[in-house]
Amino acid sequence: MTRRFFTQYWRNDTWDFQRSNGHEGTHNEHTAGNGFRDRGVKRADQIYMVTIRGGKLYLLCRGTVRMITTRRKAARKMGTRPEMLWDAPDHILFEADEAAIQLFDRAVPVDTVRGIEAIRASGPRPLKFIDRTRLDQQSLRGLVELTSASAALLDHVIADPGPASGSSLTAVRNERTFELEVVEPLIDRWKFVHERQFKHFFQRGSRSAHLFIDHLVSDADGRLTLFENKACIRSQAEREKAVAQARSYAHDLG
């Protein structure tokens, strides 16, 4: 059966909530929504999580569908409680794919966006712009099927993100590359033990939540330190934010 390609639109507030919960640079294992089954989404299809802000298209990551299931079954597979997941009828679990690493500031170049075509009832159609550079906010609402050529354009953005938006600095290809080439060899040289993407549960007021710590490092006496990795830090403010994030995790874990 032929693989199909879809974008799933995340509202700006959902996007910001996920970023604030520390998901930058982590593996996206799950998404949820309405209509996945109705649209015939199946195993091995690919979902691109996107949002539009100020007329600019942002691409979070790509997930390859491992299964579509219910909220309760998805929670069981993920080792969490159903109420921790979005309240939606369709829940998708993704393969452990490098392309599922989440980057919230990955803007898609406007020339690339102009080459994207959505499959409509009347056939493939380009996305709607409100002027020369700004994409219409409604153009990718909900679940939109793309042509395979359009999916290839987004794959190129994921594989080669290029300079960060508004910056002359070039990021490493992605955070996982940095981990493989720098962080993990360093931990190995120290002869410490590490757990990658350690799932940490915590309380946010009356609500339980969880996040993933990039590398939790231990020695013979127990937990020692942790790594919060970033593919690119563009400013002193971003560096301080990353340090504060890592420090808060360390304090929470004792």
Side-chain angles (χ1 to χ4, degrees):
M1 192 174 291
T2 304
R3 169 179 282 176
R4 297 166 71 195
F5 310 91
F6 298 86
T7 57
Q8 183 192 23
Y9 187 85
W10 285 16
R11 290 178 6 179
N12 289 171
D13 56 353
T14 301
W15 196 270
D16 293 339
F17 176 77
Q18 292 295 97
R19 183 210 300 265
S20 68
N21 271 359
H23 292 289
E24 173 76 19
T26 65
H27 175 261
N28 185 6
E29 60 180 337
H30 162 265
T31 193
N34 303 309
F36 286 111
R37 285 186 249 231
D38 290 344
R39 294 292 300 276
V41 176
K42 64 186 186 307
R43 181 181 175 86
D45 285 348
Q46 293 182 330
I47 311 292
Y48 299 82
M49 273 58 71
V50 300
T51 198
I52 298 171
R53 196 190 297 270
K56 185 175 291 187
L57 178 64
Y58 289 87
L59 172 59
L60 179 66
C61 63
R62 184 192 73 210
T64 300
V65 178
R66 178 161 62 93
M67 67 171 63
I68 305 177
T69 186
T70 64
R71 187 186 189 193
R72 183 173 299 278
K73 290 180 180 178
R76 186 167 66 247
K77 291 280 188 182
M78 295 171 67
T80 188
R81 300 192 304 275
E83 58 268 25
M84 296 297 297
L85 304 181
W86 299 109
D87 186 8
D90 296 339
H91 286 256
I92 288 182
L93 298 181
F94 293 127
E95 301 284 0
D97 186 351
E98 180 69 22
I101 297 298
Q102 300 175 97
L103 299 177
F104 288 84
D105 290 326
R106 179 162 42 204
V108 181
V110 66
D111 288 344
T112 299
V113 179
R114 290 193 176 279
I116 294 173
E117 292 186 318
I119 298 176
R120 310 294 187 185
S122 56
R125 292 288 182 270
L127 303 183
K128 182 180 178 182
F129 281 73
I130 57 176
D131 60 26
R132 191 174 61 85
T133 60
R134 290 184 299 160
L135 192 61
D136 188 294
Q137 192 80 16
Q138 303 298 317
S139 59
L140 287 172
R141 286 288 187 183
L143 191 66
V144 174
E145 186 171 1
L146 302 180
T147 63
S148 58
S150 300
L153 291 175
L154 295 181
D155 288 342
H156 180 73
V157 173
I158 291 171
D160 184 17
S165 178
S167 170
S168 61
L169 300 178
T170 301
V172 297
R173 185 170 62 84
N174 53 46
E175 186 175 305
R176 184 61 182 140
T177 301
F178 175 70
E179 291 175 344
L180 289 168
E181 295 180 356
V182 179
V183 176
E184 291 178 12
L186 180 65
I187 297 171
D188 290 341
R189 285 201 301 274
W190 287 339
K191 301 189 185 305
F192 291 149
V193 175
H194 74 274
E195 296 175 77
R196 180 174 175 269
Q197 292 295 294
F198 174 81
K199 185 179 282 190
H200 172 53
F201 293 90
F202 63 98
Q203 289 292 128
R204 185 179 292 277
S206 60
R207 177 174 173 269
S208 296
H210 73 270
L211 51 80
F212 293 91
I213 293 171
D214 291 335
H215 289 84
L216 181 61
V217 181
S218 304
D219 64 8
D221 297 321
R223 292 174 179 172
L224 181 65
T225 189
L226 59 86
F227 281 78
E228 173 57 32
N229 305 317
K230 304 295 180 188
C232 182
I233 292 179
R234 305 174 188 83
S235 66
Q236 176 75 5
E238 286 193 3
R239 187 186 70 83
E240 291 174 355
K241 182 178 178 181
V243 170
Q245 182 182 350
R247 183 182 293 116
S248 70
Y249 296 168
H251 280 303
D252 210 28
L253 287 164

